Amino acid sequence: MQHLVTPQEVVHLGRPIGTVDHDRLLAYISETEQLNIKPVIGTPLFLKLLDDNEDRDPRLDTLLKGGTYEDERNGVMSFVGLKVTIAYFVYAQNVMSGDFQSTRYGMVLKDGDYSSHISSKERSDCYNNTLEVANAYLRECLAYCKSTGLISKTGKPTAFTGGIRIQKIG
């Protein structure tokens, strides 16, 4: 399956992610592209981004890598691009499930000799914080798409996928 970003790019573009299995990163990338990116930018634009031909619209490369553009209402704008956005969504996925392993004995928590794990609240806080950043970056990408005509400025509003906030009651 073709992706907008490679596992190596995810490791270097977002928050430091440490050593994560290549197959896990690919799974997180697939989930992010299908559940967070494609529903927001639309399938036609998503497929155009995957098509890597030589006469490709340069706006697509800017969307992927980020950059600056002239917005008719706000002047010069800048954004980080979809690759960094995806890296943040992948990081969030890794925070929530990064140290759980599916084995023939069921789901287990891998624990090294000298490691200690964060609490559920700390994990949830980190996940929610990372999702806020990822969604903010995604909104900037969407603003670029609308400003440059990659997607229509009109149409139904897009619902962003977000995290679950877990709070202790009582």
Side-chain angles (χ1 to χ4, degrees):
M1 180 177 202
Q2 193 177 7
H3 296 288
L4 299 177
V5 65
T6 66
Q8 294 78 18
E9 288 174 315
V10 165
V11 169
H12 296 293
L13 291 175
R15 291 182 179 176
I17 202 167
T19 304
V20 180
D21 181 59
H22 185 269
D23 291 336
R24 279 179 161 236
L25 287 177
L26 282 176
Y28 297 153
I29 290 168
S30 292
E31 291 171 8
T32 296
E33 289 175 346
Q34 297 301 315
L35 300 175
N36 301 103
I37 304 301
K38 190 170 73 169
V40 173
I41 66 172
T43 300
L45 180 55
F46 182 78
L47 293 175
K48 284 181 189 175
L49 287 166
L50 288 176
D51 185 17
D52 194 20
N53 62 26
E54 292 179 13
D55 58 335
R56 176 170 141 136
D57 187 336
R59 296 176 299 171
L60 298 176
D61 291 327
T62 303
L63 175 58
L64 284 172
K65 297 175 185 173
T68 59
Y69 64 98
E70 187 76 29
D71 183 62
E72 59 191 39
R73 292 187 321 171
N74 300 318
V76 176
M77 304 292 289
S78 68
F79 70 111
V80 296
L82 278 178
K83 288 187 178 213
V84 172
T85 302
I86 292 169
Y88 272 79
F89 278 114
V90 168
Y91 181 86
Q93 287 281 64
N94 188 60
V95 165
M96 286 309 282
S97 60
D99 52 0
F100 293 107
Q101 298 285 326
S102 179
T103 69
R104 64 182 175 165
Y105 304 106
M107 291 300 287
V108 297
L109 178 66
K110 290 297 206 180
D111 195 9
D113 292 341
Y114 301 105
S115 61
S116 60
H117 291 279
I118 61 175
S119 69
S120 294
K121 182 189 179 328
E122 291 169 323
R123 181 185 298 261
S124 179
D125 289 346
C126 181
Y127 173 77
N128 287 326
N129 172 271
T130 306
L131 272 185
E132 284 181 33
V133 172
N135 280 319
Y137 287 162
L138 186 55
R139 284 189 294 274
E140 289 179 348
C141 290
L142 193 59
Y144 168 78
C145 290
K146 288 179 178 179
S147 178
T148 59
L150 286 172
I151 58 176
S152 172
K153 292 182 183 183
T154 60
K156 66 177 183 172
T158 305
F160 291 93
T161 56
I164 299 170
R165 295 205 182 263
I166 301 172
Q167 294 180 330
K168 185 177 180 181
I169 299 174

